[in-house]
Amino acid sequence: MHRWLRLVALAGLAACIWGCALARTSGHGGTGPSQAEVPVGPFAPASLWVHPLTHLERDPEGPVYLRVHVQLRDRWSDICKGVGVVHLGLFQPTGLGGSGQENQILQWQVDLWDLERNAAFFDPATQTYRFSLSGLPDWVEAMAPGGDRAAAGPGKFRVQVRLTTATPEGAEAVLVGELLIER
């Protein structure tokens, strides 16, 4: 009988030690789940495409938003969702005659590791993540429908999207896509 109680006590101690070790390695320490707590799975994104649905949109009350649509595909080229951190940048051309020189004038960052927040950005109808960006320069706002088409500015800009995510093997991957928006 005493031997059985010792085995139960040892099993309980082992479970406690194992559970404490798991709690330390989970990395949970914020308001949302950590990278270690979100499984990536075999259908992780392998490519990123800034979808042509991306456009400037003027709100009826006046503000202009850049609606960026981002589509992710897995290694079999099927549309998928993904987790990670999305970096969006707006680049203004500065080179003469379209020489390719440009400056990044705005940037945004969206954390998609939180699955609830991730789902809120995904648009099931278009199968894209949809980001509404504001705080645009005046010359970009002038390019939106209903804007002053004669306003100064280059009349075009580039949107770049980078997703820093994890591969199914646990390595870090950075997927990049871009789209040129013109008047």
Side-chain angles (χ1 to χ4, degrees):
M1 177 84 169
H2 291 295
R3 182 182 261 174
W4 185 80
L5 287 174
R6 268 192 234 157
L7 285 173
V8 170
L10 283 174
L13 180 62
C16 179
I17 291 170
W18 186 68
C20 291
L22 282 180
R24 274 196 306 267
T25 60
S26 72
H28 189 68
T31 55
S34 72
Q35 296 175 13
E37 296 170 331
V38 178
V40 176
F43 303 105
S47 66
L48 179 150
W49 182 41
V50 180
H51 200 283
L53 287 173
T54 299
H55 65 283
L56 290 166
E57 184 175 303
R58 187 175 303 277
D59 189 279
E61 296 179 13
V64 174
Y65 296 95
L66 175 58
R67 308 279 190 206
V68 180
H69 289 260
V70 176
Q71 192 172 78
L72 302 176
R73 292 187 178 262
D74 64 18
R75 64 182 177 168
W76 293 280
S77 296
D78 292 326
I79 296 171
C80 65
K81 293 182 180 181
V83 293
V85 178
V86 176
H87 299 271
L88 301 110
L90 190 144
F91 293 82
Q92 175 183 12
T94 59
L96 295 173
S99 65
Q101 296 174 340
E102 57 187 15
N103 290 330
Q104 182 175 356
I105 57 174
L106 287 173
Q107 63 181 350
W108 299 266
Q109 180 175 310
V110 181
D111 186 350
L112 294 180
W113 283 107
D114 180 333
L115 298 181
E116 293 298 319
R117 185 173 180 162
N118 186 312
F121 283 107
F122 192 77
D123 180 20
T126 61
Q127 297 289 290
T128 63
Y129 284 94
R130 190 173 88 158
F131 305 101
S132 297
L133 310 176
S134 61
L136 304 168
D138 292 339
W139 64 270
V140 171
E141 288 189 1
M143 292 173 56
D148 180 10
R149 296 276 184 181
K156 63 181 178 181
F157 61 91
R158 184 173 61 91
V159 176
Q160 182 187 70
V161 180
R162 288 182 298 124
L163 171 66
T164 304
T165 187
T167 66
E169 296 80 25
E172 183 177 274
V174 179
L175 309 175
V176 181
E178 56 187 44
L179 182 67
L180 183 65
I181 310 276
E182 297 184 88
R183 244 183 258 225

